[in-house]
Amino acid sequence: MEIKDFIENFADIFDDTDVSTFKPETEFRELDEWTSMLALSTMAMVSEEYDVELSADEMRKSQTIEDLFNFTKSHM
């Protein structure tokens, strides 16, 4: 699993945020479009794409896209 692919999958759940915004160090909660619905969509994407269950607690602990990636990779 490569972080580039993870970022592409993560970016796909957003409708209005420019794809160039998404980098490993992006603090996704700071994005204007971020909502609790996108948090649920992120959890679903991780489950569907990587067969990893991302809990709400782990979602809260994550600050950056790289945090989400590292969690996912370590549980594959």
Side-chain angles (χ1 to χ4, degrees):
M1 176 169 90
E2 299 292 325
I3 195 162
K4 177 180 87 53
D5 298 325
F6 185 87
I7 291 171
E8 287 175 11
N9 288 330
F10 184 78
D12 282 346
I13 66 173
F14 289 78
D15 293 325
D16 300 325
T17 305
D18 188 85
V19 71
S20 66
T21 303
F22 300 99
K23 298 182 175 23
E25 63 276 6
T26 300
E27 293 185 8
F28 54 87
R29 286 186 214 327
E30 302 300 317
L31 299 173
D32 289 340
E33 191 177 354
W34 184 255
T35 64
S36 59
M37 287 303 294
L38 283 174
L40 293 173
S41 294
T42 299
M43 294 165 67
M45 178 276 291
V46 168
S47 178
E48 291 170 14
E49 295 290 329
Y50 303 103
D51 200 28
V52 171
E53 294 303 317
L54 178 63
S55 69
D57 188 50
E58 193 58 44
M59 192 76 214
R60 279 189 294 276
K61 290 179 188 175
S62 299
Q63 299 298 313
T64 65
I65 296 173
E66 188 170 26
D67 291 340
L68 295 172
F69 169 79
N70 289 336
F71 174 85
T72 303
K73 189 170 183 176
S74 71
H75 287 82
M76 289 180 72

